[in-house]
Coordinates of all heavy atoms in Angstrom, one line a residue:
W160 N -7.7 -19.8 -70.0 CA -7.8 -19.1 -71.3 C -6.6 -19.5 -72.2 O -5.5 -19.6 -71.7 CB -7.8 -17.6 -71.1 CG -8.9 -17.1 -70.2 CD1 -8.8 -16.7 -68.9 CD2 -10.3 -16.9 -70.6 NE1 -10.0 -16.4 -68.4 CE2 -11.0 -16.5 -69.4 CE3 -11.0 -17.1 -71.8 CZ2 -12.3 -16.2 -69.4 CZ3 -12.3 -16.9 -71.8 CH2 -13.0 -16.4 -70.6
T161 N -6.9 -19.8 -73.4 CA -5.9 -20.4 -74.3 C -4.7 -19.4 -74.4 O -4.8 -18.2 -74.5 CB -6.5 -20.6 -75.7 OG1 -5.4 -20.9 -76.6 CG2 -7.1 -19.3 -76.2
F162 N -3.5 -20.0 -74.3 CA -2.3 -19.2 -74.4 C -1.9 -19.0 -75.9 O -0.9 -18.5 -76.2 CB -1.2 -19.6 -73.5 CG -0.6 -20.9 -73.9 CD1 0.7 -21.0 -74.5 CD2 -1.2 -22.1 -73.5 CE1 1.2 -22.3 -74.8 CE2 -0.6 -23.4 -73.8 CZ 0.6 -23.4 -74.4
F163 N -2.7 -19.5 -76.8 CA -2.6 -19.2 -78.2 C -2.9 -17.7 -78.4 O -2.3 -17.0 -79.1 CB -3.5 -20.0 -79.1 CG -3.5 -19.6 -80.6 CD1 -2.3 -19.6 -81.3 CD2 -4.6 -19.3 -81.2 CE1 -2.3 -19.3 -82.6 CE2 -4.6 -18.9 -82.6 CZ -3.4 -18.9 -83.3
G164 N -3.9 -17.2 -77.7 CA -4.2 -15.8 -77.5 C -3.4 -15.3 -76.3 O -2.4 -15.9 -75.9
N165 N -3.8 -14.2 -75.7 CA -3.0 -13.7 -74.6 C -3.9 -13.6 -73.4 O -3.5 -12.9 -72.4 CB -2.4 -12.3 -75.0 CG -1.3 -11.9 -74.0 OD1 -0.6 -12.8 -73.4 ND2 -1.1 -10.6 -73.8
G166 N -5.0 -14.2 -73.4 CA -5.9 -14.2 -72.2 C -6.4 -12.8 -71.8 O -6.6 -11.9 -72.6
S169 N -5.3 -9.2 -73.1 CA -5.7 -8.8 -74.5 C -7.1 -8.4 -74.6 O -7.6 -8.0 -75.7 CB -5.4 -10.0 -75.4 OG -6.3 -11.1 -75.2
W170 N -7.9 -8.4 -73.5 CA -9.3 -8.0 -73.5 C -9.4 -6.4 -73.6 O -8.7 -5.7 -73.0 CB -10.0 -8.4 -72.2 CG -10.1 -9.9 -72.1 CD1 -9.7 -10.8 -73.0 CD2 -10.7 -10.6 -71.0 NE1 -10.0 -12.1 -72.5 CE2 -10.6 -12.0 -71.3 CE3 -11.3 -10.2 -69.8 CZ2 -11.1 -12.9 -70.4 CZ3 -11.8 -11.1 -68.9 CH2 -11.7 -12.5 -69.3
P179 N -14.4 -8.3 -79.1 CA -15.1 -8.4 -80.4 C -15.0 -9.9 -80.9 O -14.4 -10.7 -80.4 CB -14.2 -7.5 -81.3 CG -12.9 -7.6 -80.7 CD -13.1 -7.7 -79.2
N180 N -15.8 -10.1 -82.0 CA -16.0 -11.5 -82.5 C -14.7 -12.1 -83.1 O -14.7 -13.3 -83.4 CB -17.1 -11.5 -83.6 CG -18.4 -11.2 -82.9 OD1 -18.7 -10.0 -82.6 ND2 -19.2 -12.2 -82.8
S181 N -13.7 -11.4 -83.3 CA -12.4 -11.9 -83.8 C -11.4 -12.3 -82.8 O -10.2 -12.5 -83.0 CB -11.8 -11.0 -84.9 OG -11.7 -9.7 -84.3
G182 N -11.8 -12.3 -81.5 CA -10.9 -12.6 -80.4 C -10.6 -14.1 -80.3 O -11.2 -14.9 -80.8
T183 N -9.5 -14.3 -79.7 CA -9.0 -15.7 -79.4 C -9.0 -16.0 -77.9 O -8.0 -16.0 -77.3 CB -7.6 -16.0 -80.0 OG1 -6.7 -15.0 -79.6 CG2 -7.7 -16.0 -81.5
W184 N -10.2 -16.1 -77.3 CA -10.3 -16.2 -75.9 C -11.1 -17.4 -75.4 O -11.8 -17.4 -74.4 CB -11.1 -14.9 -75.4 CG -10.4 -13.7 -75.7 CD1 -9.1 -13.3 -75.5 CD2 -11.0 -12.6 -76.5 NE1 -8.9 -12.1 -76.0 CE2 -10.0 -11.6 -76.6 CE3 -12.3 -12.3 -77.0 CZ2 -10.2 -10.4 -77.3 CZ3 -12.5 -11.1 -77.6 CH2 -11.4 -10.2 -77.8
A185 N -10.9 -18.5 -76.1 CA -11.5 -19.8 -75.7 C -10.8 -20.3 -74.4 O -9.6 -19.9 -74.1 CB -11.4 -20.8 -76.8
N272 N -0.9 -16.2 -84.1 CA -1.6 -15.1 -83.4 C -0.6 -14.0 -83.0 O 0.4 -14.3 -82.4 CB -2.4 -15.7 -82.2 CG -3.3 -14.7 -81.6 OD1 -4.4 -14.5 -82.0 ND2 -2.9 -14.0 -80.5
N274 N -0.4 -10.3 -80.7 CA -1.0 -9.3 -79.8 C 0.0 -8.2 -79.7 O 1.2 -8.3 -79.6 CB -1.2 -9.9 -78.5 CG -2.3 -10.9 -78.5 OD1 -2.1 -12.1 -78.5 ND2 -3.6 -10.5 -78.5
Q288 N -5.0 -7.2 -82.1 CA -4.8 -8.6 -82.2 C -5.1 -9.1 -83.6 O -6.0 -8.6 -84.3 CB -5.7 -9.4 -81.2 CG -5.6 -10.9 -81.2 CD -6.4 -11.6 -80.2 OE1 -6.6 -12.8 -80.2 NE2 -7.0 -10.8 -79.2
A289 N -4.3 -10.1 -84.1 CA -4.6 -10.6 -85.4 C -4.4 -12.1 -85.4 O -3.5 -12.6 -84.6 CB -3.6 -10.0 -86.5
V290 N -5.2 -12.9 -86.1 CA -5.1 -14.3 -86.2 C -5.2 -14.8 -87.6 O -6.0 -14.2 -88.4 CB -6.1 -15.0 -85.3 CG1 -7.6 -14.6 -85.7 CG2 -6.0 -16.5 -85.2
I295 N -9.1 -24.0 -87.4 CA -9.1 -23.5 -86.1 C -10.3 -22.7 -85.8 O -10.5 -22.1 -84.7 CB -7.8 -22.7 -85.7 CG1 -7.7 -21.4 -86.5 CG2 -6.6 -23.6 -85.9 CD1 -6.6 -20.5 -86.1
S298 N -12.8 -23.1 -82.6 CA -12.3 -23.1 -81.2 C -11.5 -21.8 -80.9 O -11.4 -21.5 -79.7 CB -11.4 -24.3 -81.0 OG -10.9 -24.3 -79.7
Y299 N -10.9 -21.2 -81.8 CA -10.0 -20.1 -81.5 C -10.4 -18.7 -82.1 O -9.6 -17.8 -82.1 CB -8.6 -20.4 -82.0 CG -8.0 -21.5 -81.3 CD1 -8.0 -22.8 -81.7 CD2 -7.4 -21.3 -80.0 CE1 -7.4 -23.9 -81.0 CE2 -6.9 -22.3 -79.2 CZ -6.9 -23.6 -79.7 OH -6.3 -24.6 -79.0
T300 N -11.7 -18.6 -82.5 CA -12.2 -17.3 -82.9 C -13.6 -17.2 -82.4 O -14.2 -18.2 -81.9 CB -12.2 -17.1 -84.4 OG1 -12.9 -18.1 -85.0 CG2 -10.8 -17.0 -85.0
L301 N -14.2 -16.0 -82.5 CA -15.6 -15.8 -82.0 C -15.7 -16.2 -80.5 O -16.6 -16.8 -80.0 CB -16.6 -16.6 -82.8 CG -17.0 -16.0 -84.1 CD1 -18.0 -16.9 -84.8 CD2 -17.7 -14.7 -83.9
S302 N -14.6 -16.0 -79.7 CA -14.6 -16.3 -78.3 C -14.8 -17.8 -78.1 O -15.5 -18.2 -77.1 CB -15.6 -15.5 -77.5 OG -15.3 -14.1 -77.6
G303 N -14.3 -18.6 -78.9 CA -14.3 -20.1 -78.7 C -15.7 -20.6 -78.8 O -16.5 -20.3 -79.8

Side-chain angles (χ1 to χ4, degrees):
W160 301 101
T161 174
F162 67 102
F163 175 58
N165 197 28
S169 67
W170 293 359
N180 292 73
S181 52
T183 51
W184 302 306
N272 190 81
N274 292 100
Q288 180 175 169
V290 62
I295 64 172
S298 181
Y299 290 100
T300 56
L301 281 177
S302 297

